[in-house]
Amino acid sequence: MMSSLKSDSCVVDTGDAVTNSQQTETHAAEKRVRAHGSAAQGTAIVLFTFLTVLAGMLGPMQSSVNGRLGVAVDDGHLAACISFFSGLVVMFIIVLPQRRLRKALISIPGHLRHGTLPWPYFFAGLCGAVIVLSEGVSVGALGVATFQTSLIAGMVISGIICDRFGIGVEFKQALNIPRILGALLAIAATVLVVSPNFTAPHMIALAILPFCGGLLAGWQPAGNSKIGYLADSMLVSITWNFIIGFSALALAFIIRLAMGAATFHLPTQWWMYLGGPLGLLSIALMALLVRKLGLLLLALASTAGQLIGSILIDLILPQEGHVIYAVTVAGAAVALVAAGIAMVPSRKLGAGTEHKTEESH
């Protein structure tokens, strides 16, 4: 009897040992899978971040093209008209053949008449017009790095203000010390990149143009979001922005022509017509990459791409005739830090315009 009990006990012990061994191996296998998954996810994030930095470089490329176009036609205003028109043509090719999108585009003025689209959002494309106009006017004199740093500094301050008042976002966000510091650093970055030109007042005035364009930048995404919501298509929203921007620029240029204050002629180099399409490519890539990285990392990586790309363009293309000063690089670095600090979320204060939009519909 005792022998039988011992035998049964050995069997049980052996069974328990086998079960424990299997559980240990299972846990080890699960850990290896999780570790492999984490490593793969980390690699994917690094890859998409790198791609976002490259996509961010399209902004300086667009600025360089528009700036060179402005020099070639000897008129930054005409350069902005040509750049906007090329982008508008591309959007018409995409949108007009599709009946649903075509109807949505035609219906936008009706939303303004019926009060479902506030007029500031209806004319949000004017913000892009100001930025492209400043590219055509000032990049040839300032260089891409100074232009982009000044633009980004204005955008940082614009983002902080829009978050505080809930413009184009779901919730208002309080002003806190990091955000105030970000705004101050943005101003400091602009002063740094402009400092080599303190003895030339007209150069300072040119640097203020992209800074003002950046300040208006918070207005455009809010308008894009509202129009995209009403049209159920961001393609329609982007097209409407191009229509408004081009119409305003073209009308002003026609007035200048009538007054004899401008002449019309087109550039002969094909690549000078790529300003608009480059902007569209940047928008499309960011829309794809945001799903992989999220808004915060996307914004930081794209800002880094803009600043790195702008410095590289001024270095690689010496025919621009601009010197890269140490303070230019320092200003770009400060602008990146300012952007990073300003992107840190703060305390929510209440509903923003996007929250109200969703509730009202």
Side-chain angles (χ1 to χ4, degrees), residues 44 47-49 51-52 55 58 234-235 238 279-295 297-299 302:
L47 175 60
F48 287 121
T49 301
L51 291 175
T52 304
L58 290 173
M234 286 308 296
L235 289 174
I238 294 168
L280 291 174
L281 180 59
S282 176
I283 293 171
L285 289 175
M286 294 303 174
L288 292 173
L289 290 166
V290 70
R291 301 176 184 179
K292 304 294 183 181
L293 295 178
L295 285 173
L297 188 52
L298 178 92
S302 61

Side-chain angles (χ1 to χ4, degrees), residues 200-243:
H202 71 284
M203 297 290 282
I204 297 176
L206 288 176
I208 291 174
L209 275 176
F211 184 80
C212 291
L215 288 176
L216 293 172
W219 169 25
Q220 188 167 20
N224 285 348
S225 177
K226 180 67 174 179
I227 294 173
Y229 180 80
L230 293 172
D232 195 26
S233 170
M234 286 308 296
L235 289 174
V236 171
S237 177
I238 294 168
T239 305
W240 187 254
N241 269 272
F242 270 88
I243 290 173

Side-chain angles (χ1 to χ4, degrees), residues 328-354:
T328 306
V329 178
V334 171
L336 180 60
V337 173
I341 293 175
M343 289 173 194
V344 176
S346 64
R347 182 170 53 88
K348 294 177 182 177
L349 296 177
T353 58
E354 290 305 287

